Amino acid sequence: MERKINKKRYTIGLLVSGILDEFTKYVCKGVLQEAKAADVNIVVVPGKYIDRDLSGNQELRYEYQYTTIFSYLKKENIDALIVAAGTIGCFTTEGRIRGMLQRYAGVPCVLLASKLEGYRHVVFDNYQGIREGLEYLIRKGCRRFGMVGGSLENTDGCERRQAFIRTLESNGIPFQERMYVEGDYSRRGVTAFRKLLDENPDLEAVFCVNDETTIGFYEELKRRNRKPGKDIYVFGYDDTIVAAKANPSLSSVRADPGKLGEEALRIALKILRGEETEDGIVQTHFVKRDSVSRSWDEKERDVYGQNEGDTGFNDVFYWCLHEERQEQISLLKISYENMIQALSARPESETGAQGFSDRMPYVDEFLNLGGTAYADMDNLLTVLERIYRKLSGECRDDLTRLKLREFYTSVYKKIILSMNQHSGSLAEQKDKESYEMKLFVQNMLQFEKAREQNYGLLLKNLSWLHVKNACICLLPEPKLHLYGEDFEPEGELYLKAVLWQGEVHTVPADQQAMDVADLFENSHFPADERFERILLPLFSADMVYGALVCNMHESMYVNGEFLVNQISAAIKMLHLLQMNEAIQQQLEENLAALKMHNIELDNISKSDMLTGILNRRGFYDEAGALFARLRQQSKRALVLYVDMNNLKIINDRYGHEEGDFSLKLIGRFLQELVEGRGIAGRIGGDEYACLLEYEDVGDGREAAKKLHKQFARFNASSDKVYNVTVSVGECVVGPKDTFGLEDALAHADDQLYLEKQYRKKEVAK
């Protein structure tokens, strides 16, 4: 532990998936709460998912770039790691997870929601809660069960499947493989949902591996006009906010991710201190809601009637148990328990005017402290209903019972009013945030030239996100990173700008170079203050620019990815401006040289110097004449728009000479295609066009197929280590068509764009 010499405080890295999901959010809160008590630094690293293939999802296809931030963690800048391997690796294999962990050799690692030999771990007791849920449904008479699971490479996915099978078999229900389908832990697993329902049309109950999956299953049931809790029983796992607010409310296995985080940090600290450690297990239990059609009596027995005097605070307010505002939560707990005690008092004969009104101040105090903002309202109303029914049965006369009913009517009205006020406050806050977000986006791109000071401007307007401390660290040059490739930042990082306590500082060029060991603690971030930070990637499409480090705040769970997108877009623009300025300078120098040698620009040849075919000017001149001649002769014309695939990748990987070779090869093949029938030209950097007389009766696709075959033959026989490929769009113009050459080229370009969306970026053979 060389890094701990002369250090006052440990720094622990928390590797998680996307911070937008509820599981990760509460894991983070649990770790942060325990870290504050233990006086430990925390760096949250939300790197999404390893090997998650989103090639079919255009909006998320570059999400894999989030995994690049895992590579910035080193034994030089972190003392120990907590790794949510179960979620990070839910789309990959155990071998890949082990490979990822191997990069942190020498750093103590505690796994969260996953088990791997050789590592300490903290996991849920997956059996307890699932068994409770299944046996409850079995007691209701259910015998035909189904399950939507997850990858069996994942510890939770495997154990939850085993719990499902064992519970059924121990209750005399044989398991059959058709009762189980594997989903992807998300609501998008429609294929799995349909398979389970189609192959088991008589299902009475279904267990889903997590709440997110269950919400997707709800949607499939809705499409089939089957109502959860009525036509089929359903329950999930995690008991997230989404579960309680679903329609109907979703029964679920309550598994507190915050407790996982707390226990994982405690184990990590024991390892660092050289103390004996054991693996941790967090208990779970089943929570019944409307999706299993429970009655009020069942609600009471579920949680609240188990121990005399139990107010059920932890079950009503379990979402806020790991909140940072612990002082406010403590006050709320006292007020809640006082209210429950006052409301539960045995009614005497209340025939006077006062009735039960002396109990109302306790309700008012609870509501004034924001009780409805934090409570699971389904559970809170269950508690109140239990108390009302109990007191109603104890009333000695009808008048007392009437006053009790009137009192509770007033209580419910106040609760509804409080909920409406809270909703209004949330709407007002959302409007304010929307306005500040609009200004943030507007100000983010208010620069026209590439200047170092612009990096400071990117950090200037983050107060609405409660970001007071941040820094932008960039790679020496943007790095190409394709899906499936390993990523490793090479050499030094460059600290471009720092935000500290709301003050922005642009770092001078000669002071920017920094080692990755100083990523979280450097001369710009005082080392004597405990910190909670988040590390976010900066990227655009397949180019990685670096990382953003900022203080961890509640706002990151909602707007962290938005911040990544905006800062990344701005950095990409700055990089493009830098390139544009360099090109502009080169052009000016070239123009000056041309003028010095008295070269007349109007006399430039119509031939492209690299490929030997027509250049843009030459193509449009000759194509215009040929197009008019074909139309005059009532002949059909074929227009092709051709674009080289992956020129940038070939240039970056293999050098510009290979890129030039590829461009010349395309020119040669196109010239052979049109030989004797038309013309071909290079009209842009990697764009070509052809116009030829078309005597066939087809739609022109045979020309594109011929080209693709020609390139395929070349790639199969050449000694190049890469493939040369093109995308082709076509347009056939008949004698009766009224549009011109430019319109035909535009239509062909549209067809090319459609084909290019399905191209692969793998160029290596």
Side-chain angles (χ1 to χ4, degrees), residues 622-648:
E622 296 196 18
L626 176 58
F627 190 83
R629 189 162 61 251
L630 291 173
R631 172 159 286 175
Q632 187 177 18
Q633 296 171 359
S634 297
K635 293 182 178 180
R636 301 175 82 203
L638 173 62
V639 175
L640 299 179
Y641 208 110
V642 182
D643 181 90
M644 177 181 171
N645 296 330
N646 308 316
L647 174 60
K648 186 177 186 304

Side-chain angles (χ1 to χ4, degrees), residues 11 18 74 146 174 207 242 425 461 559 653 761:
T11 297
K74 312 285 183 183
F207 164 58
V242 174
S425 177
N461 300 299
N559 293 309
R653 290 276 171 83
K761 289 198 173 185

Side-chain angles (χ1 to χ4, degrees), residues 36 72 135 154 174 208 213 228 293 305 310 320 334 338 342 359 381 384 403 446 509 538 566 602 626 638 670 673 701:
K36 185 176 182 180
Y72 293 100
E135 290 185 345
N154 177 279
C208 294
T213 296
S293 191
D310 180 12
C320 64
I334 294 171
N338 289 339
R359 308 182 184 199
L381 293 176
L384 297 180
K403 288 188 176 294
Q446 293 299 313
L538 297 174
Q566 294 303 310
D602 287 341
L626 176 58
L638 173 62
L670 292 179
L673 178 70
R701 285 303 297 164

Side-chain angles (χ1 to χ4, degrees), residues 32-277:
L32 293 172
Q33 182 173 306
E34 186 67 20
K36 185 176 182 180
D39 191 29
V40 172
N41 295 328
I42 293 294
V43 179
V44 179
V45 187
K48 293 288 181 110
Y49 312 95
I50 296 176
D51 293 342
R52 185 184 188 187
D53 183 8
L54 287 165
S55 56
N57 189 323
Q58 295 297 306
E59 293 181 359
L60 300 177
R61 66 187 184 279
Y62 295 111
E63 183 184 86
Y64 69 88
Q65 299 289 22
Y66 274 84
T67 62
T68 59
I69 56 173
F70 291 147
S71 63
Y72 293 100
L73 299 182
K74 312 285 183 183
K75 62 181 179 181
E76 291 81 15
N77 60 24
I78 221 80
D79 294 305
L81 289 172
I82 298 171
V83 185
T87 50
I88 294 171
C90 65
F91 297 101
T92 192
T93 64
E94 178 181 316
R96 285 280 286 154
I97 289 295
R98 283 192 176 276
M100 169 198 171
L101 294 173
Q102 196 59 42
R103 71 160 55 237
Y104 307 120
V107 179
C109 290
V110 178
L111 304 189
L112 193 145
S114 184
K115 297 178 183 178
L116 285 177
E117 187 177 351
Y119 294 92
R120 280 282 176 246
H121 63 254
V122 182
V123 295
F124 288 126
D125 178 354
N126 283 302
Y127 294 90
Q128 179 180 334
I130 294 172
R131 183 177 63 250
E132 289 177 6
L134 291 172
E135 290 185 345
Y136 164 76
L137 292 172
I138 290 170
R139 289 194 299 272
K140 285 179 70 74
C142 293
R143 304 292 294 177
R144 295 184 293 277
F145 289 86
M147 176 180 174
V148 182
S151 170
L152 299 184
E153 292 281 351
N154 177 279
T155 298
D156 283 336
C158 186
E159 288 190 353
R160 290 172 195 178
R161 183 179 190 271
Q162 292 174 355
F164 176 75
I165 295 173
R166 291 181 186 177
T167 302
L168 293 185
E169 291 182 341
S170 66
N171 283 273
I173 302 175
F175 172 76
Q176 300 177 24
E177 283 298 331
R178 64 182 176 83
M179 299 163 64
Y180 175 87
V181 295
E182 183 174 306
D184 63 358
Y185 296 98
S186 79
R187 65 183 66 191
R188 292 187 294 272
V190 178
T191 302
F193 307 151
R194 291 174 178 172
K195 180 181 178 182
L196 181 67
L197 292 169
D198 290 342
E199 295 184 2
N200 302 272
D202 59 346
L203 282 176
E204 296 173 314
V206 173
F207 164 58
C208 294
V209 70
N210 61 5
D211 289 346
E212 177 72 9
T213 296
T214 317
I215 296 304
F217 189 70
Y218 261 32
E219 291 299 317
E220 181 60 28
L221 290 176
K222 182 179 179 181
R223 284 188 284 269
R224 296 171 183 240
N225 293 318
R226 299 183 70 181
K227 186 175 178 60
K230 181 179 180 181
D231 303 316
I232 185 171
Y233 298 136
V234 182
F235 74 98
Y237 197 105
D238 293 328
D239 198 24
T240 60
I241 294 177
V242 174
K245 295 185 179 300
N247 183 23
S249 58
L250 173 63
S251 305
S252 188
V253 175
R254 179 166 300 166
D256 187 347
K259 292 187 182 299
L260 282 180
E262 292 175 6
E263 184 62 20
L265 184 61
R266 285 193 284 266
I267 293 175
L269 290 176
K270 284 184 178 181
I271 295 174
L272 287 172
R273 295 165 183 156
E275 301 173 10
E276 290 293 325
T277 61

